[in-house]
Amino acid sequence: MDKMKATYETMLALVAEMVLDDAVLKFRTERIYRDIDLALASGDEDTFHRLAEQLNALRFSH
């Protein structure tokens, strides 16, 4: 029974980690989109390109 409990706790920890990773990814993505919008509104082309690269790296790393 202890082995089953340990397995269950391990699975719960993995699910919790996946949920947290998803939340962090969503937060970072939304923040980059917001900052891209600000860069576009202010005409800051360099910041736009830097943020677009960050967004692409974030998308393709997951």
Side-chain angles (χ1 to χ4, degrees), residues 8-37:
Y8 179 72
E9 288 175 355
T10 301
M11 294 300 291
L12 284 178
L14 288 172
V15 169
E17 186 175 346
M18 290 170 61
V19 169
L20 181 59
D21 286 346
D22 188 54
V24 169
L25 177 62
K26 182 178 178 183
F27 174 81
R28 291 179 67 199
T29 301
E30 288 175 358
R31 177 170 274 185
I32 291 173
Y33 274 121
R34 184 202 64 200
D35 291 346
I36 285 174
D37 287 343

PDB file of all heavy atoms in Angstrom, residues 8-37:
ATOM      1  N   TYR A   8       1.035   7.487  -6.208  1.00  0.00           N
ATOM      2  CA  TYR A   8      -0.039   8.483  -6.292  1.00  0.00           C
ATOM      3  C   TYR A   8       0.502   9.884  -6.010  1.00  0.00           C
ATOM      4  O   TYR A   8       0.195  10.830  -6.732  1.00  0.00           O
ATOM      5  CB  TYR A   8      -1.146   8.120  -5.306  1.00  0.00           C
ATOM      6  CG  TYR A   8      -2.298   9.087  -5.280  1.00  0.00           C
ATOM      7  CD1 TYR A   8      -3.203   9.141  -6.331  1.00  0.00           C
ATOM      8  CD2 TYR A   8      -2.479   9.950  -4.205  1.00  0.00           C
ATOM      9  CE1 TYR A   8      -4.264  10.029  -6.317  1.00  0.00           C
ATOM     10  CE2 TYR A   8      -3.534  10.840  -4.186  1.00  0.00           C
ATOM     11  CZ  TYR A   8      -4.424  10.867  -5.248  1.00  0.00           C
ATOM     12  OH  TYR A   8      -5.463  11.757  -5.223  1.00  0.00           O
ATOM     13  N   GLU A   9       1.315  10.011  -4.965  1.00  0.00           N
ATOM     14  CA  GLU A   9       1.887  11.316  -4.620  1.00  0.00           C
ATOM     15  C   GLU A   9       2.817  11.816  -5.721  1.00  0.00           C
ATOM     16  O   GLU A   9       2.839  13.014  -6.023  1.00  0.00           O
ATOM     17  CB  GLU A   9       2.612  11.227  -3.282  1.00  0.00           C
ATOM     18  CG  GLU A   9       1.661  11.089  -2.108  1.00  0.00           C
ATOM     19  CD  GLU A   9       2.369  10.867  -0.789  1.00  0.00           C
ATOM     20  OE1 GLU A   9       3.611  10.714  -0.772  1.00  0.00           O
ATOM     21  OE2 GLU A   9       1.661  10.838   0.236  1.00  0.00           O
ATOM     22  N   THR A  10       3.556  10.925  -6.337  1.00  0.00           N
ATOM     23  CA  THR A  10       4.434  11.296  -7.446  1.00  0.00           C
ATOM     24  C   THR A  10       3.614  11.799  -8.622  1.00  0.00           C
ATOM     25  O   THR A  10       3.952  12.822  -9.243  1.00  0.00           O
ATOM     26  CB  THR A  10       5.314  10.109  -7.875  1.00  0.00           C
ATOM     27  OG1 THR A  10       6.103   9.693  -6.761  1.00  0.00           O
ATOM     28  CG2 THR A  10       6.218  10.480  -9.026  1.00  0.00           C
ATOM     29  N   MET A  11       2.531  11.107  -8.920  1.00  0.00           N
ATOM     30  CA  MET A  11       1.658  11.534 -10.021  1.00  0.00           C
ATOM     31  C   MET A  11       1.035  12.893  -9.728  1.00  0.00           C
ATOM     32  O   MET A  11       0.950  13.745 -10.614  1.00  0.00           O
ATOM     33  CB  MET A  11       0.570  10.484 -10.270  1.00  0.00           C
ATOM     34  CG  MET A  11       1.096   9.164 -10.786  1.00  0.00           C
ATOM     35  SD  MET A  11       1.972   9.316 -12.356  1.00  0.00           S
ATOM     36  CE  MET A  11       0.635   9.703 -13.436  1.00  0.00           C
ATOM     37  N   LEU A  12       0.594  13.104  -8.497  1.00  0.00           N
ATOM     38  CA  LEU A  12       0.032  14.407  -8.131  1.00  0.00           C
ATOM     39  C   LEU A  12       1.072  15.519  -8.282  1.00  0.00           C
ATOM     40  O   LEU A  12       0.758  16.613  -8.759  1.00  0.00           O
ATOM     41  CB  LEU A  12      -0.500  14.383  -6.696  1.00  0.00           C
ATOM     42  CG  LEU A  12      -1.825  13.685  -6.475  1.00  0.00           C
ATOM     43  CD1 LEU A  12      -2.183  13.712  -4.989  1.00  0.00           C
ATOM     44  CD2 LEU A  12      -2.933  14.339  -7.282  1.00  0.00           C
ATOM     45  N   ALA A  13       2.299  15.236  -7.887  1.00  0.00           N
ATOM     46  CA  ALA A  13       3.366  16.230  -8.016  1.00  0.00           C
ATOM     47  C   ALA A  13       3.632  16.553  -9.480  1.00  0.00           C
ATOM     48  O   ALA A  13       3.835  17.720  -9.833  1.00  0.00           O
ATOM     49  CB  ALA A  13       4.642  15.722  -7.333  1.00  0.00           C
ATOM     50  N   LEU A  14       3.609  15.542 -10.335  1.00  0.00           N
ATOM     51  CA  LEU A  14       3.830  15.769 -11.766  1.00  0.00           C
ATOM     52  C   LEU A  14       2.703  16.607 -12.370  1.00  0.00           C
ATOM     53  O   LEU A  14       2.952  17.524 -13.162  1.00  0.00           O
ATOM     54  CB  LEU A  14       3.956  14.452 -12.512  1.00  0.00           C
ATOM     55  CG  LEU A  14       5.243  13.670 -12.280  1.00  0.00           C
ATOM     56  CD1 LEU A  14       5.146  12.287 -12.923  1.00  0.00           C
ATOM     57  CD2 LEU A  14       6.439  14.430 -12.816  1.00  0.00           C
ATOM     58  N   VAL A  15       1.471  16.303 -11.995  1.00  0.00           N
ATOM     59  CA  VAL A  15       0.334  17.079 -12.499  1.00  0.00           C
ATOM     60  C   VAL A  15       0.428  18.515 -12.016  1.00  0.00           C
ATOM     61  O   VAL A  15       0.211  19.457 -12.785  1.00  0.00           O
ATOM     62  CB  VAL A  15      -1.005  16.423 -12.090  1.00  0.00           C
ATOM     63  CG1 VAL A  15      -2.178  17.350 -12.381  1.00  0.00           C
ATOM     64  CG2 VAL A  15      -1.187  15.099 -12.798  1.00  0.00           C
ATOM     65  N   ALA A  16       0.776  18.708 -10.752  1.00  0.00           N
ATOM     66  CA  ALA A  16       0.919  20.055 -10.211  1.00  0.00           C
ATOM     67  C   ALA A  16       2.003  20.826 -10.962  1.00  0.00           C
ATOM     68  O   ALA A  16       1.839  22.006 -11.280  1.00  0.00           O
ATOM     69  CB  ALA A  16       1.244  19.999  -8.718  1.00  0.00           C
ATOM     70  N   GLU A  17       3.107  20.163 -11.273  1.00  0.00           N
ATOM     71  CA  GLU A  17       4.191  20.806 -12.016  1.00  0.00           C
ATOM     72  C   GLU A  17       3.735  21.183 -13.425  1.00  0.00           C
ATOM     73  O   GLU A  17       4.057  22.268 -13.924  1.00  0.00           O
ATOM     74  CB  GLU A  17       5.406  19.885 -12.081  1.00  0.00           C
ATOM     75  CG  GLU A  17       6.611  20.547 -12.713  1.00  0.00           C
ATOM     76  CD  GLU A  17       7.850  19.662 -12.669  1.00  0.00           C
ATOM     77  OE1 GLU A  17       7.869  18.658 -11.941  1.00  0.00           O
ATOM     78  OE2 GLU A  17       8.806  19.999 -13.392  1.00  0.00           O
ATOM     79  N   MET A  18       2.966  20.308 -14.057  1.00  0.00           N
ATOM     80  CA  MET A  18       2.466  20.603 -15.398  1.00  0.00           C
ATOM     81  C   MET A  18       1.514  21.804 -15.383  1.00  0.00           C
ATOM     82  O   MET A  18       1.584  22.665 -16.261  1.00  0.00           O
ATOM     83  CB  MET A  18       1.762  19.375 -15.972  1.00  0.00           C
ATOM     84  CG  MET A  18       2.695  18.246 -16.322  1.00  0.00           C
ATOM     85  SD  MET A  18       1.846  16.697 -16.733  1.00  0.00           S
ATOM     86  CE  MET A  18       0.887  17.185 -18.140  1.00  0.00           C
ATOM     87  N   VAL A  19       0.655  21.860 -14.389  1.00  0.00           N
ATOM     88  CA  VAL A  19      -0.279  22.985 -14.268  1.00  0.00           C
ATOM     89  C   VAL A  19       0.493  24.281 -14.041  1.00  0.00           C
ATOM     90  O   VAL A  19       0.200  25.310 -14.660  1.00  0.00           O
ATOM     91  CB  VAL A  19      -1.295  22.730 -13.137  1.00  0.00           C
ATOM     92  CG1 VAL A  19      -2.092  23.984 -12.813  1.00  0.00           C
ATOM     93  CG2 VAL A  19      -2.228  21.585 -13.507  1.00  0.00           C
ATOM     94  N   LEU A  20       1.488  24.231 -13.177  1.00  0.00           N
ATOM     95  CA  LEU A  20       2.296  25.423 -12.912  1.00  0.00           C
ATOM     96  C   LEU A  20       3.062  25.854 -14.160  1.00  0.00           C
ATOM     97  O   LEU A  20       3.090  27.042 -14.495  1.00  0.00           O
ATOM     98  CB  LEU A  20       3.265  25.154 -11.765  1.00  0.00           C
ATOM     99  CG  LEU A  20       4.162  26.317 -11.352  1.00  0.00           C
ATOM    100  CD1 LEU A  20       3.327  27.516 -10.919  1.00  0.00           C
ATOM    101  CD2 LEU A  20       5.104  25.892 -10.242  1.00  0.00           C
ATOM    102  N   ASP A  21       3.668  24.910 -14.867  1.00  0.00           N
ATOM    103  CA  ASP A  21       4.389  25.237 -16.098  1.00  0.00           C
ATOM    104  C   ASP A  21       3.469  25.892 -17.123  1.00  0.00           C
ATOM    105  O   ASP A  21       3.846  26.865 -17.780  1.00  0.00           O
ATOM    106  CB  ASP A  21       5.017  23.988 -16.718  1.00  0.00           C
ATOM    107  CG  ASP A  21       6.239  23.498 -15.970  1.00  0.00           C
ATOM    108  OD1 ASP A  21       6.771  24.243 -15.127  1.00  0.00           O
ATOM    109  OD2 ASP A  21       6.656  22.346 -16.236  1.00  0.00           O
ATOM    110  N   ASP A  22       2.255  25.360 -17.239  1.00  0.00           N
ATOM    111  CA  ASP A  22       1.279  25.920 -18.174  1.00  0.00           C
ATOM    112  C   ASP A  22       0.898  27.343 -17.778  1.00  0.00           C
ATOM    113  O   ASP A  22       0.799  28.226 -18.629  1.00  0.00           O
ATOM    114  CB  ASP A  22       0.047  25.027 -18.231  1.00  0.00           C
ATOM    115  CG  ASP A  22      -0.902  25.448 -19.329  1.00  0.00           C
ATOM    116  OD1 ASP A  22      -0.460  25.549 -20.494  1.00  0.00           O
ATOM    117  OD2 ASP A  22      -2.096  25.660 -19.020  1.00  0.00           O
ATOM    118  N   ALA A  23       0.702  27.574 -16.484  1.00  0.00           N
ATOM    119  CA  ALA A  23       0.341  28.912 -16.002  1.00  0.00           C
ATOM    120  C   ALA A  23       1.464  29.913 -16.261  1.00  0.00           C
ATOM    121  O   ALA A  23       1.215  31.056 -16.676  1.00  0.00           O
ATOM    122  CB  ALA A  23      -0.004  28.866 -14.519  1.00  0.00           C
ATOM    123  N   VAL A  24       2.694  29.495 -16.026  1.00  0.00           N
ATOM    124  CA  VAL A  24       3.844  30.381 -16.253  1.00  0.00           C
ATOM    125  C   VAL A  24       3.974  30.698 -17.737  1.00  0.00           C
ATOM    126  O   VAL A  24       4.208  31.853 -18.124  1.00  0.00           O
ATOM    127  CB  VAL A  24       5.147  29.752 -15.698  1.00  0.00           C
ATOM    128  CG1 VAL A  24       6.370  30.520 -16.159  1.00  0.00           C
ATOM    129  CG2 VAL A  24       5.085  29.696 -14.171  1.00  0.00           C
ATOM    130  N   LEU A  25       3.807  29.692 -18.585  1.00  0.00           N
ATOM    131  CA  LEU A  25       3.879  29.902 -20.033  1.00  0.00           C
ATOM    132  C   LEU A  25       2.795  30.886 -20.484  1.00  0.00           C
ATOM    133  O   LEU A  25       3.069  31.803 -21.254  1.00  0.00           O
ATOM    134  CB  LEU A  25       3.735  28.580 -20.772  1.00  0.00           C
ATOM    135  CG  LEU A  25       3.722  28.650 -22.289  1.00  0.00           C
ATOM    136  CD1 LEU A  25       5.041  29.209 -22.824  1.00  0.00           C
ATOM    137  CD2 LEU A  25       3.449  27.266 -22.871  1.00  0.00           C
ATOM    138  N   LYS A  26       1.591  30.697 -19.991  1.00  0.00           N
ATOM    139  CA  LYS A  26       0.493  31.597 -20.350  1.00  0.00           C
ATOM    140  C   LYS A  26       0.781  33.023 -19.886  1.00  0.00           C
ATOM    141  O   LYS A  26       0.586  33.983 -20.634  1.00  0.00           O
ATOM    142  CB  LYS A  26      -0.813  31.101 -19.733  1.00  0.00           C
ATOM    143  CG  LYS A  26      -2.007  31.930 -20.096  1.00  0.00           C
ATOM    144  CD  LYS A  26      -3.280  31.365 -19.512  1.00  0.00           C
ATOM    145  CE  LYS A  26      -4.448  32.259 -19.877  1.00  0.00           C
ATOM    146  NZ  LYS A  26      -5.701  31.792 -19.279  1.00  0.00           N
ATOM    147  N   PHE A  27       1.271  33.173 -18.662  1.00  0.00           N
ATOM    148  CA  PHE A  27       1.600  34.496 -18.133  1.00  0.00           C
ATOM    149  C   PHE A  27       2.670  35.176 -18.975  1.00  0.00           C
ATOM    150  O   PHE A  27       2.534  36.341 -19.360  1.00  0.00           O
ATOM    151  CB  PHE A  27       2.066  34.377 -16.674  1.00  0.00           C
ATOM    152  CG  PHE A  27       2.557  35.674 -16.100  1.00  0.00           C
ATOM    153  CD1 PHE A  27       1.656  36.613 -15.620  1.00  0.00           C
ATOM    154  CD2 PHE A  27       3.912  35.954 -16.031  1.00  0.00           C
ATOM    155  CE1 PHE A  27       2.107  37.810 -15.088  1.00  0.00           C
ATOM    156  CE2 PHE A  27       4.370  37.154 -15.508  1.00  0.00           C
ATOM    157  CZ  PHE A  27       3.459  38.088 -15.034  1.00  0.00           C
ATOM    158  N   ARG A  28       3.761  34.457 -19.257  1.00  0.00           N
ATOM    159  CA  ARG A  28       4.855  35.039 -20.041  1.00  0.00           C
ATOM    160  C   ARG A  28       4.390  35.409 -21.443  1.00  0.00           C
ATOM    161  O   ARG A  28       4.754  36.464 -21.966  1.00  0.00           O
ATOM    162  CB  ARG A  28       6.039  34.069 -20.097  1.00  0.00           C
ATOM    163  CG  ARG A  28       6.718  33.922 -18.739  1.00  0.00           C
ATOM    164  CD  ARG A  28       7.875  32.961 -18.781  1.00  0.00           C
ATOM    165  NE  ARG A  28       8.945  33.512 -19.606  1.00  0.00           N
ATOM    166  CZ  ARG A  28       9.921  32.784 -20.120  1.00  0.00           C
ATOM    167  NH1 ARG A  28       9.966  31.484 -19.917  1.00  0.00           N
ATOM    168  NH2 ARG A  28      10.854  33.357 -20.856  1.00  0.00           N
ATOM    169  N   THR A  29       3.583  34.533 -22.060  1.00  0.00           N
ATOM    170  CA  THR A  29       3.078  34.804 -23.405  1.00  0.00           C
ATOM    171  C   THR A  29       2.199  36.047 -23.419  1.00  0.00           C
ATOM    172  O   THR A  29       2.358  36.924 -24.280  1.00  0.00           O
ATOM    173  CB  THR A  29       2.290  33.592 -23.934  1.00  0.00           C
ATOM    174  OG1 THR A  29       3.161  32.449 -23.948  1.00  0.00           O
ATOM    175  CG2 THR A  29       1.767  33.836 -25.328  1.00  0.00           C
ATOM    176  N   GLU A  30       1.291  36.145 -22.462  1.00  0.00           N
ATOM    177  CA  GLU A  30       0.411  37.319 -22.398  1.00  0.00           C
ATOM    178  C   GLU A  30       1.195  38.598 -22.164  1.00  0.00           C
ATOM    179  O   GLU A  30       0.893  39.641 -22.740  1.00  0.00           O
ATOM    180  CB  GLU A  30      -0.643  37.123 -21.307  1.00  0.00           C
ATOM    181  CG  GLU A  30      -1.690  36.104 -21.672  1.00  0.00           C
ATOM    182  CD  GLU A  30      -2.664  35.809 -20.549  1.00  0.00           C
ATOM    183  OE1 GLU A  30      -2.517  36.369 -19.440  1.00  0.00           O
ATOM    184  OE2 GLU A  30      -3.584  35.002 -20.785  1.00  0.00           O
ATOM    185  N   ARG A  31       2.219  38.522 -21.323  1.00  0.00           N
ATOM    186  CA  ARG A  31       3.039  39.705 -21.048  1.00  0.00           C
ATOM    187  C   ARG A  31       3.798  40.138 -22.308  1.00  0.00           C
ATOM    188  O   ARG A  31       3.882  41.323 -22.616  1.00  0.00           O
ATOM    189  CB  ARG A  31       4.020  39.432 -19.920  1.00  0.00           C
ATOM    190  CG  ARG A  31       4.940  40.633 -19.666  1.00  0.00           C
ATOM    191  CD  ARG A  31       5.727  40.461 -18.434  1.00  0.00           C
ATOM    192  NE  ARG A  31       4.891  40.955 -17.340  1.00  0.00           N
ATOM    193  CZ  ARG A  31       5.293  41.045 -16.102  1.00  0.00           C
ATOM    194  NH1 ARG A  31       6.488  40.641 -15.763  1.00  0.00           N
ATOM    195  NH2 ARG A  31       4.508  41.528 -15.176  1.00  0.00           N
ATOM    196  N   ILE A  32       4.328  39.184 -23.055  1.00  0.00           N
ATOM    197  CA  ILE A  32       5.044  39.522 -24.288  1.00  0.00           C
ATOM    198  C   ILE A  32       4.089  40.143 -25.301  1.00  0.00           C
ATOM    199  O   ILE A  32       4.420  41.135 -25.947  1.00  0.00           O
ATOM    200  CB  ILE A  32       5.777  38.294 -24.868  1.00  0.00           C
ATOM    201  CG1 ILE A  32       6.939  37.898 -23.955  1.00  0.00           C
ATOM    202  CG2 ILE A  32       6.285  38.577 -26.275  1.00  0.00           C
ATOM    203  CD1 ILE A  32       7.623  36.592 -24.338  1.00  0.00           C
ATOM    204  N   TYR A  33       2.886  39.565 -25.450  1.00  0.00           N
ATOM    205  CA  TYR A  33       1.900  40.151 -26.361  1.00  0.00           C
ATOM    206  C   TYR A  33       1.557  41.586 -25.956  1.00  0.00           C
ATOM    207  O   TYR A  33       1.458  42.471 -26.802  1.00  0.00           O
ATOM    208  CB  TYR A  33       0.621  39.307 -26.415  1.00  0.00           C
ATOM    209  CG  TYR A  33       0.662  38.181 -27.408  1.00  0.00           C
ATOM    210  CD1 TYR A  33       0.499  36.865 -26.996  1.00  0.00           C
ATOM    211  CD2 TYR A  33       0.846  38.415 -28.765  1.00  0.00           C
ATOM    212  CE1 TYR A  33       0.521  35.823 -27.907  1.00  0.00           C
ATOM    213  CE2 TYR A  33       0.876  37.380 -29.684  1.00  0.00           C
ATOM    214  CZ  TYR A  33       0.714  36.090 -29.244  1.00  0.00           C
ATOM    215  OH  TYR A  33       0.743  35.056 -30.152  1.00  0.00           O
ATOM    216  N   ARG A  34       1.379  41.812 -24.663  1.00  0.00           N
ATOM    217  CA  ARG A  34       1.083  43.162 -24.174  1.00  0.00           C
ATOM    218  C   ARG A  34       2.222  44.121 -24.514  1.00  0.00           C
ATOM    219  O   ARG A  34       1.996  45.226 -25.012  1.00  0.00           O
ATOM    220  CB  ARG A  34       0.858  43.139 -22.661  1.00  0.00           C
ATOM    221  CG  ARG A  34       0.448  44.511 -22.100  1.00  0.00           C
ATOM    222  CD  ARG A  34       0.740  44.644 -20.634  1.00  0.00           C
ATOM    223  NE  ARG A  34       2.184  44.578 -20.431  1.00  0.00           N
ATOM    224  CZ  ARG A  34       2.753  44.287 -19.269  1.00  0.00           C
ATOM    225  NH1 ARG A  34       2.038  44.006 -18.227  1.00  0.00           N
ATOM    226  NH2 ARG A  34       4.069  44.259 -19.166  1.00  0.00           N
ATOM    227  N   ASP A  35       3.439  43.670 -24.269  1.00  0.00           N
ATOM    228  CA  ASP A  35       4.596  44.521 -24.549  1.00  0.00           C
ATOM    229  C   ASP A  35       4.783  44.748 -26.047  1.00  0.00           C
ATOM    230  O   ASP A  35       5.228  45.823 -26.468  1.00  0.00           O
ATOM    231  CB  ASP A  35       5.858  43.924 -23.930  1.00  0.00           C
ATOM    232  CG  ASP A  35       5.840  43.975 -22.404  1.00  0.00           C
ATOM    233  OD1 ASP A  35       4.992  44.703 -21.836  1.00  0.00           O
ATOM    234  OD2 ASP A  35       6.672  43.274 -21.780  1.00  0.00           O
ATOM    235  N   ILE A  36       4.446  43.754 -26.872  1.00  0.00           N
ATOM    236  CA  ILE A  36       4.490  43.931 -28.324  1.00  0.00           C
ATOM    237  C   ILE A  36       3.489  45.006 -28.743  1.00  0.00           C
ATOM    238  O   ILE A  36       3.804  45.873 -29.556  1.00  0.00           O
ATOM    239  CB  ILE A  36       4.234  42.603 -29.057  1.00  0.00           C
ATOM    240  CG1 ILE A  36       5.473  41.701 -28.979  1.00  0.00           C
ATOM    241  CG2 ILE A  36       3.843  42.835 -30.518  1.00  0.00           C
ATOM    242  CD1 ILE A  36       5.271  40.309 -29.537  1.00  0.00           C
ATOM    243  N   ASP A  37       2.285  44.930 -28.181  1.00  0.00           N
ATOM    244  CA  ASP A  37       1.284  45.953 -28.490  1.00  0.00           C
ATOM    245  C   ASP A  37       1.782  47.348 -28.128  1.00  0.00           C
ATOM    246  O   ASP A  37       1.608  48.301 -28.888  1.00  0.00           O
ATOM    247  CB  ASP A  37      -0.030  45.671 -27.754  1.00  0.00           C
ATOM    248  CG  ASP A  37      -0.791  44.493 -28.334  1.00  0.00           C
ATOM    249  OD1 ASP A  37      -0.491  44.088 -29.479  1.00  0.00           O
ATOM    250  OD2 ASP A  37      -1.692  43.983 -27.628  1.00  0.00           O
TER     251      ASP A  37
END
